[in-house]
Amino acid sequence: MPQRRIQQVRQERQVRQVRQVRRISVLLAGVLGFLLVLTGITASTAAAAAAAAPAPGAGAEKRVFNGMQIIFRTDAPNAFCTIGAVGTDAYQRKIAISAGHCVNGKEYADRDIPENIQPVYDRNDIASGPIGHLRYFKDPEGSMVGHATKDYMIIELEPTVVLSSQGPHLKQTGVLEVPGGQPSPNALSPAPNSERLLGAALFNNNELVVSGQLGVHYGRVTNAAQGIYQSWAPHKGGDSGGPAIWHVPGSAYPSAANGFQAAGPWAGITKAIALGVPPYVYTSSANILADLRAREAARPGVYGAGFQITTNP
């Protein structure tokens, strides 16, 4: 075969391979309902999370807590995100919050979903069945790391689950309030303290403590623009939606001495690894709560409105 023809055949084969890869990517996004980007979804083992999570027991109460890894299809256990906070809303529904970019589907985005179309499972205890159903997520509007200020998901948990404020590393002691802080860009006026942002100027020493596959870490908030916190506290793929608390000044940092545990008010959820210094970004709890209140004002009854962290241990 002439050399020119050989090169042509190779080029045609490469084109076919590229098209096939693109087609598979589209099918994954459409069939699985996942947006496979950055920290939202990963393909790694469950070993580390399984070691940290409570072992499921036959007939035991199903406990749901911050830091729990969740999946949306039982045949795709390596496509997971993480719960950032659990509690109840103003209508006494049991609620969990995670990242909005973990799911995809424009026909359901940015509206309450009362239909039980998308079950949610504990990744490390699939056999127990769904822990709840997806009720809301914001369309990313073209962004590969979720909507700029509203990258969150609301899950209505099953009435039978037991809520817990204690995750593998973090105990959430309520919702963060920042008296005098800058209002979230999502907030109606006047903004309550729970919808105000941590300061990030040089004289501020606000720190986030976060939990995920890398264990528990903490780092100073270096930027809070638009209610998106940048911090040196690291995370990795699959941690999206995971918990971040505010380090209460004077309280213990996680260490070997205290079993790598920390306690503090819920400050936000893991968003992505972005281009920047530091690269780790988090959606503030203020942004989420402000958007929930604004949506509730426009149409009362939305899932998650008036969200409060559970007080259950």
Side-chain angles (χ1 to χ4, degrees):
M1 183 180 294
Q3 184 67 24
R4 180 176 299 176
R5 176 55 179 163
I6 292 174
Q7 292 177 347
Q8 183 179 358
V9 170
R10 287 177 178 172
Q11 290 174 350
E12 290 175 351
R13 184 180 301 164
Q14 290 174 347
V15 170
R16 287 197 300 270
Q17 289 174 341
V18 170
R19 286 175 177 171
Q20 185 173 4
V21 169
R22 288 176 177 171
R23 178 175 176 272
I24 291 172
S25 298
V26 171
L27 287 174
L28 283 173
V31 176
L32 294 183
F34 298 130
L35 186 61
L36 308 182
V37 296
L38 295 181
T39 62
I41 301 296
T42 187
S44 63
T45 67
E61 291 181 320
K62 183 60 187 174
R63 191 171 70 96
V64 180
F65 47 88
N66 73 76
M68 173 182 282
Q69 293 177 346
I70 53 175
I71 60 172
F72 305 92
R73 280 185 51 161
T74 57
D75 59 350
N78 287 330
F80 64 91
C81 278
T82 305
I83 289 177
V86 298
T88 54
D89 67 8
Y91 303 93
Q92 299 307 304
R93 295 174 292 215
K94 295 179 179 181
I95 298 294
I97 296 178
S98 188
H101 69 256
C102 293
V103 292
N104 191 17
K106 288 185 178 296
E107 66 272 30
Y108 294 108
D110 207 19
R111 72 168 178 86
D112 272 4
I113 310 170
E115 311 95 328
N116 292 341
I117 59 168
Q118 180 58 74
V120 181
Y121 301 85
D122 175 358
R123 184 188 181 215
N124 295 298
D125 186 16
I126 297 173
S128 67
I131 61 172
H133 289 83
L134 177 67
R135 295 303 186 211
Y136 177 85
F137 70 99
K138 178 68 176 177
D139 185 81
E141 297 182 358
S143 170
M144 291 298 288
V145 294
H147 188 277
T149 67
K150 304 174 184 179
D151 182 19
Y152 71 94
M153 169 197 304
I154 297 296
I155 301 164
E156 183 184 16
L157 299 169
E158 295 294 330
T160 54
V161 305
V162 176
L163 304 180
S164 175
S165 60
Q166 179 66 63
H169 296 288
L170 304 182
K171 181 176 181 61
Q172 295 177 335
T173 58
V175 170
L176 176 65
E177 295 189 354
V178 187
Q182 180 73 21
S184 160
N186 300 334
L188 301 176
S189 184
N193 291 337
S194 61
E195 297 176 15
R196 294 179 180 273
L197 306 173
L198 290 170
L202 290 176
F203 55 84
N204 291 123
N205 290 307
N206 291 306
E207 295 174 295
L208 297 182
V209 187
V210 307
S211 174
Q213 297 169 89
L214 298 175
V216 59
H217 294 271
Y218 55 89
R220 181 177 173 273
V221 177
T222 62
N223 193 340
Q226 296 296 299
I228 304 301
Y229 296 144
Q230 282 181 262
S231 172
W232 285 109
H235 51 254
K236 63 180 292 186
D239 290 338
S240 273
I245 63 173
W246 180 59
H247 176 252
V248 179
S251 66
Y253 288 98
S255 67
N258 59 22
F260 298 101
Q261 297 293 305
W266 175 53
I269 61 174
T270 299
K271 181 174 177 61
I273 299 174
L275 295 176
V277 179
Y280 306 107
V281 295
Y282 298 84
T283 298
S284 65
S285 56
N287 276 10
I288 297 170
L289 296 174
D291 190 58
L292 284 170
R293 185 168 68 98
R295 290 175 49 229
E296 172 76 359
R299 187 174 181 178
V302 303
Y303 291 94
F307 178 78
Q308 290 292 329
I309 296 290
T310 181
T311 57
N312 293 337

